[in-house]
């Protein structure tokens, strides 16, 4: 689970479908709030609350859940104080008043009285104006400016849903794979294999740890010695199917031995 702190009040969480399957859940269950997702959301609420400094006595936490095309889930959590609630309410009331001014019965009758292409143009204009007013409720229109703190660099962290996570690492050369292996050999990597696909080398490895310092060490090695390191990547299946398997198991150990 990748958690990105957008600003002091907003957190974005991205969860791959494979991570959900590891703990016995489906994306559909999470979206629909199925009964068996209660422990998952309890853990998510705790983590998000810590990220945002959430006070349940004086603040509320609003969440929106979206399923992406690849089956992953993206959740936005927003912490709202009384001031935030008032601001949002004022924006909603303003947008509602605008809609009522735009969509009067007289305007509807005017559209109905038109013919042919003019009817379509008039209807489209009203729909566009209403849509812009509704979008202002969510702060998505061009007249809405995001808070200043959202321009800061987001703070990202990785929180595994289970102890085990699969990583795929891409290298330009075989030597880079050997150097990476030597650096990470002492980490709790329980399985690893190396593939060659076209001009690149790909290592698929399993890390058995939820310790943030261990995950950080692996990711730091990935930044220093590889082109890319991704967790629970769907592309790993393609590499397994179409790549040439150079080392089928314990690739970290074998490549480390070659470096000596």
């Amino acid at each position: 689970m990748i958690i990105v702190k957008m600003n002091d009040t907003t957190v974005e969480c991205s969860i791959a479908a494979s991570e959900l399957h590891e703990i016995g859940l489906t994306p559909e269950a999470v979206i629909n709030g199925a009964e068996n997702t209660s422990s998952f959301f309890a853990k998510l609420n705790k983590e998000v609350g810590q990220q945002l400094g959430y006070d349940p006595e004086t603040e509320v936490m609003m969440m929106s859940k979206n399923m992406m095309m690849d089956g992953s889930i993206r959740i936005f959590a927003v912490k709202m104080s009384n001031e935030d609630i008032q601001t949002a309410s004022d924006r909603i009331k303003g947008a509602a008043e605008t809609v009522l001014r735009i969509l009067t019965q007289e305007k509807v009758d005017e559209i109905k009285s038109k013919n042919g292409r003019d009817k379509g143009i008039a209807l489209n204009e009203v729909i566009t104006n209403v849509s812009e007013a509704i979008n202002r409720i969510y702060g998505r229109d061009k007249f809405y400016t995001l808070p200043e703190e959202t321009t800061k660099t987001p703070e990202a962290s990785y929180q595994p849903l289970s102890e085990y996570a699969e990583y795929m690492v891409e290298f330009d050369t075989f030597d880079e794979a050997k150097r990476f292996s030597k650096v990470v050999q002492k980490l709790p990597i329980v399985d690893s294999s190396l593939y060659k696909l076209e001009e690149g080398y790909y290592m698929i490895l399993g890390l058995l740890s939820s310790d943030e310092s261990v995950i950080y060490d692996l990711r730091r090695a990935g930044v220093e010695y590889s082109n890319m390191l991704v967790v629970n990547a769907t592309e790993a299946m393609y590499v397994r199917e179409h790549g040439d398997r150079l080392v089928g198991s314990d690739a970290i150990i074998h490549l480390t031995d070659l470096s000596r």
Side-chain angles (χ1 to χ4, degrees):
M1 177 167 62
I2 305 295
I3 299 177
V4 179
K5 185 177 180 181
M6 308 300 293
N7 53 52
D8 291 340
T9 60
T10 307
V11 161
E12 177 187 353
C13 306
S14 299
I15 309 106
S18 57
E19 286 189 276
L20 293 173
H21 290 310
E22 287 177 10
I23 59 173
L25 299 179
T26 63
E28 292 78 12
V30 173
I31 288 294
N32 296 325
E35 188 175 345
N36 63 338
T37 62
S38 57
S39 61
F40 164 77
F41 278 108
K43 178 179 179 179
L44 179 63
N45 287 335
K46 180 180 179 180
E47 178 60 34
V48 168
Q50 291 175 346
Q51 292 270 350
L52 295 177
Y54 168 60
D55 182 357
E57 293 297 322
T58 59
E59 298 169 325
V60 295
M61 186 77 73
M62 304 294 291
M63 287 191 177
S64 65
K65 299 173 287 187
N66 304 280
M67 186 184 299
M68 313 309 290
M69 292 294 291
D70 61 359
S72 63
I73 299 296
R74 184 170 296 170
I75 298 175
F76 285 94
V78 180
K79 178 184 73 172
M80 299 183 70
S81 63
N82 286 341
E83 182 180 351
D84 296 325
I85 293 171
Q86 185 63 57
T87 300
S89 298
D90 291 342
R91 189 164 63 239
I92 292 172
K93 287 189 292 185
E97 291 169 355
T98 300
V99 170
L100 291 176
R101 286 197 301 269
I102 295 171
L103 201 59
T104 62
Q105 186 59 49
E106 290 79 3
K107 189 64 176 179
V108 174
D109 291 340
E110 180 185 340
I111 294 171
K112 290 161 60 179
S113 67
K114 296 182 180 295
N115 297 309
R117 184 169 178 271
D118 290 340
K119 185 190 294 283
I121 292 174
L123 178 60
N124 184 67
E125 180 182 355
V126 169
I127 291 175
T128 299
N129 291 337
V130 170
S131 296
E132 288 182 353
I134 293 174
N135 282 339
R136 275 195 285 274
I137 296 175
Y138 302 100
R140 292 198 297 255
D141 72 304
K142 61 185 178 181
F143 303 108
Y144 180 72
T145 303
L146 291 173
E148 182 179 350
E149 59 264 27
T150 60
T151 62
K152 300 177 182 178
T153 302
E155 302 172 11
S157 63
Y158 173 68
Q159 295 294 330
L161 299 181
S162 65
E163 292 289 316
Y164 180 89
E166 182 181 85
Y167 291 81
M168 186 174 74
V169 196
E170 180 186 7
F171 308 95
D172 278 336
T173 67
F174 187 75
D175 286 340
E176 288 178 348
K178 289 195 298 182
R179 287 195 292 269
F180 173 84
S181 299
K182 189 173 183 179
V183 171
V184 303
Q185 61 177 310
K186 294 183 179 180
L187 298 181
I189 296 170
V190 295
D191 55 74
S192 57
S193 53
L194 183 68
Y195 296 81
K196 189 175 191 305
L197 181 63
E198 296 179 352
E199 299 302 317
Y201 294 85
Y202 297 86
M203 181 178 291
I204 300 174
L205 60 90
L207 183 72
L208 188 61
S209 177
S210 60
D211 189 311
E212 290 188 14
S213 63
V214 172
I215 295 169
Y216 173 78
D217 286 342
L218 177 65
R219 288 176 172 264
R220 182 177 60 182
V223 170
E224 292 181 1
Y225 297 99
S226 73
N227 291 334
M228 174 185 69
L229 184 148
V230 290
V231 61
N232 296 321
T234 55
E235 295 88 344
M237 183 180 297
Y238 181 86
V239 171
R240 285 190 173 103
E241 291 179 354
H242 300 280
D244 296 324
R245 187 168 59 180
L246 304 181
V247 185
S249 61
D250 297 327
I252 296 289
I253 297 173
H254 295 307
L255 294 179
T256 300
D257 289 340
L258 291 175
S259 300
R260 292 170 181 167

